[in-house]
Amino acid sequence: MSSATGGGADRPPAGRRPRPEPPEPLAASTIDSHTHLDACGCETDADVVAAMDRAAAVGVVGAVTVADDLDGARSAVRAAHADDRVWAAVALHPTRTARVTAADLAEIERLAADERVVSIGETGLDYYWDHSPPAAQQDAFRWHIGLAKRTGKPLMIHDRDAHEDVLRILREEGAPETVVFHCFSGDAAMARECADAGYVLSFAGPVTFTRNDELRTAAALVPAGQYLVETDAPFLTPHPHRGRANEPYVLPWTVRGVAATRGEPEALVAETARRNAERIFRLRTTD
């Protein structure tokens, strides 16, 4: 992600900030394709269920909760087993890769085999934070690409100030069958390149931010079968609640922002994103 949009790892704790009042329910149901329930304060199974109940009340019928370190990976898998509306993604975030051990990678691979894990992520490159050398990040990214291929699960990419290297490494390694750019932060040219490569672009709160015209242009041109919506909660809360704590129930504001950008009804965007998530992550929903 670009420095204008931010990301989940190494951000100030959001749980202490007040959450917005619930939005009006969506005209059709959708799925939050990327959230961090542990960072939202979900410490117990009951917390997970309560968060998903709040989401369901406004039309968000499922969520993929995402890891950025080993503890997060374990928590994501536990959450996915606590509520059948939740699925998990596991990986080591690029900012966590300075001292990766063989044991760390072995545990990620073991967790990735769980039936409730639907994606390998978030992995990629982050050149904004100075927590891990680029070489270490790139080595870990290549390993995660291999894991996605071995498991047959989609690769979920974190890309912050690293567009060229992310795309280059995907070309060099050979991209997995399905690649998702979480919280896409590129411009229209990058969106076209990714769409032409068959990659999926996921849009979060920044698409609603006032000065993100380039990102809105990108969201408008992505083919209908290649976009998702997400919160990246508890971060990146959409306008008009930017700066407050985010959670899956806040997703409708982002859906409405994408709909306005694409000139399409909210119900169409919500349903399209839901069907895309179900197909891409092979989800079975009960809604």
Side-chain angles (χ1 to χ4, degrees):
M1 289 179 279
S2 73
S3 58
T5 59
D10 302 294
R11 296 285 301 278
R16 300 188 191 93
R17 292 180 287 170
R19 294 193 300 254
E21 291 298 312
E24 288 294 316
L26 288 166
S29 63
T30 200
I31 289 173
D32 183 353
S33 70
H34 187 114
T35 191
H36 300 272
L37 290 178
D38 56 345
C40 291
C42 292
E43 297 179 355
T44 67
D45 290 359
D47 293 336
V48 172
V49 172
M52 294 312 300
D53 285 346
R54 288 190 288 274
V58 297
V60 181
V61 297
V64 178
T65 189
V66 181
D68 64 17
D69 59 16
L70 278 178
D71 285 343
R74 298 181 191 113
S75 176
V77 174
R78 285 195 300 270
H81 282 277
D83 191 312
D84 63 9
R85 297 169 292 185
V86 177
W87 298 268
V90 299
L92 298 176
H93 191 280
T95 61
R96 313 294 195 197
T97 58
R99 297 177 183 85
V100 176
T101 68
D104 295 337
L105 299 179
E107 182 161 6
I108 290 294
E109 186 147 9
R110 180 185 66 79
L111 291 167
D114 191 285
E115 65 180 2
R116 299 294 296 174
V117 172
V118 298
S119 183
I120 306 304
E122 59 187 284
T123 180
L125 303 175
D126 189 315
Y127 293 167
Y128 177 75
W129 294 107
D130 185 23
H131 296 318
S132 182
Q137 293 188 44
Q138 292 179 21
D139 287 346
F141 184 30
R142 292 178 192 274
W143 182 85
H144 283 93
I145 291 171
L147 180 60
K149 292 177 181 179
R150 291 194 296 277
T151 59
K153 296 180 179 182
L155 184 73
M156 185 181 287
I157 290 179
H158 172 104
D159 166 24
R160 190 170 190 190
D161 290 0
H163 302 328
E164 291 184 6
D165 279 357
V166 166
L167 293 172
R168 173 181 58 81
I169 289 171
L170 285 172
R171 290 192 298 269
E172 290 174 355
E173 294 296 314
E177 180 179 354
T178 305
V179 172
V180 177
F181 275 77
H182 134 69
C183 191
F184 181 77
S185 60
D187 59 14
M190 183 178 177
R192 290 190 185 94
E193 181 175 354
C194 288
D196 289 346
Y199 303 154
V200 177
L201 308 185
S202 185
F203 294 95
V207 78
T208 70
F209 296 171
T210 303
R211 297 182 180 180
N212 271 357
D213 290 339
E214 278 281 355
L215 184 59
R216 280 185 284 277
T217 300
L221 63 83
V222 178
Q226 289 175 250
Y227 73 81
L228 297 168
V229 291
E230 63 169 270
T231 58
D232 198 21
F235 311 102
L236 301 182
T237 311
H239 179 81
H241 299 291
R242 188 176 182 181
R244 302 183 73 177
N246 202 358
E247 202 179 275
Y249 79 86
V250 180
L251 186 58
W253 278 293
T254 296
V255 172
R256 290 172 177 132
V258 172
T261 293
R262 293 177 66 87
E264 296 172 349
E266 140 190 342
L268 177 61
V269 169
E271 183 175 1
T272 299
R274 176 192 164 185
R275 292 187 183 279
N276 288 345
E278 290 171 340
R279 184 188 76 253
I280 290 161
F281 298 119
R282 302 170 192 158
L283 309 182
R284 294 182 179 178
T285 61
T286 58
D287 183 70

